[in-house]
């Protein structure tokens, strides 16, 4: 993680979960993350099996020039990166494994480097994760000047994280195929041809 705020969010999530796979959504205290709320979002799988934003911070909405609450998670991404981004969020929820995504953001004047943290969260103790707590933060601080609105996110790389924030799988050729073999078909995006 390049942005120290991402590290603070990850450490907060790690402390909340303790020895469990994921914390409960009711344990997340917005006051504890109040300075980072503009950069946070919650996404959950909707009735169609696709991730959608439940909440999105003001900085995220400002970057895209729109409200994301209720919008499909895919709408934040450039079209070519949508299937892979959906696949990753589903994997984070299904396997209850946090992930860090390296993303690019095009604003008409150039490309800005950002990171997206995806952390699984449970609605109930006895159930598996059903949503993610996410953060979208730039690599550089202070925040880079960005012409708004941006056109969308491009996925450059991603990795699952262990309990200490170290990566153990990165997005290299074959990882998407590995996830297809591991995940049940209901967790994978359907191709337009089928």
């Amino acid at each position: 993680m390049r942005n120290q705020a991402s590290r603070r969010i990850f450490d907060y999530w790690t402390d909340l979960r303790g020895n469990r796979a994921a914390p409960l959504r009711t344990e997340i205290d917005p006051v504890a993350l109040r300075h980072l709320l503009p950069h946070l979002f919650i996404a959950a799988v909707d009735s169609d099996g696709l991730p959608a934003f439940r909440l999105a911070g003001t900085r995220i909405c400002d970057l895209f020039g729109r409200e994301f609450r209720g919008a499909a998670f895919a709408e934040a991404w450039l079209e070519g990166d949508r299937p892979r981004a959906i696949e990753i969020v589903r994997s984070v929820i299904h396997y209850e494994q946090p992930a860090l995504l390296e993303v690019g953001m095009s604003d008409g004047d150039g490309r800005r480097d950002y990171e997206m943290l995806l952390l699984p969260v449970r609605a109930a103790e006895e159930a598996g994760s059903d949503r993610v707590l996410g953060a979208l933060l730039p690599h550089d601080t202070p925040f880079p000047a960005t012409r708004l609105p941006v056109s969308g996110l491009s996925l450059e790389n991603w990795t699952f994280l262990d309990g200490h924030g170290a990566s153990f799988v990165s997005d290299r050729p074959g990882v998407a195929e590995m996830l297809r073999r591991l995940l049940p078909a209901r967790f994978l995006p359907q191709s337009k041809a089928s």
Side-chain angles (χ1 to χ4, degrees):
M1 288 173 234
R2 296 187 188 189
N3 192 305
Q4 288 304 308
S6 295
R7 174 46 102 179
R8 285 196 300 276
I9 296 163
F10 181 80
D11 290 344
Y12 175 76
W13 175 87
T14 300
D15 289 344
L16 283 180
R17 76 174 178 153
N19 61 0
R20 301 169 294 171
L24 297 174
R25 71 175 184 209
T26 56
E27 295 174 317
I28 298 171
D29 181 5
V31 174
L33 299 170
R34 68 184 167 276
H35 298 299
L36 299 169
L37 289 176
H39 310 281
L40 300 180
F41 63 88
I42 294 177
V45 176
D46 66 15
S47 59
D48 295 327
L50 296 171
F53 289 99
R54 292 282 178 93
L55 297 169
T58 54
R59 176 64 179 160
I60 296 169
C61 295
D62 288 348
L63 283 169
F64 291 89
R66 60 171 288 196
E67 174 60 55
F68 268 113
R69 184 178 188 147
F73 182 73
E75 292 179 26
W77 299 86
L78 297 175
E79 192 168 336
D81 290 311
R82 289 176 179 175
R84 200 161 48 150
I86 290 168
E87 192 174 327
I88 293 166
V89 117
R90 287 175 166 165
S91 297
V92 167
I93 292 170
H94 180 75
Y95 292 110
E96 296 188 306
Q97 194 66 54
L100 181 67
L101 288 64
E102 299 291 329
V103 299
M105 188 179 290
S106 298
D107 68 0
D109 289 333
R111 191 177 156 291
R112 309 285 185 252
D113 293 322
Y114 274 68
E115 60 190 21
M116 180 180 282
L117 190 59
L118 299 173
L119 306 167
V121 178
R122 294 178 174 186
E125 190 70 57
E126 61 280 355
S129 293
D130 62 344
R131 66 199 64 218
V132 295
L133 169 64
L136 180 63
L137 291 152
H139 282 180
D140 301 321
T141 51
F143 295 106
T146 305
R147 197 169 105 203
L148 305 177
V150 299
S151 57
L153 302 175
S154 61
L155 183 58
E156 306 300 324
N157 198 2
W158 71 276
T159 185
F160 282 123
L161 301 171
D162 69 11
H164 306 289
S167 64
F168 64 92
V169 172
S170 65
D171 196 13
R172 58 187 184 277
V175 171
E177 184 56 38
M178 176 194 73
L179 288 174
R180 283 186 188 86
R181 286 194 311 269
L182 293 173
L183 289 174
R186 66 187 171 92
F187 283 102
L188 297 174
Q190 300 298 313
S191 70
K192 296 191 190 275
S194 55

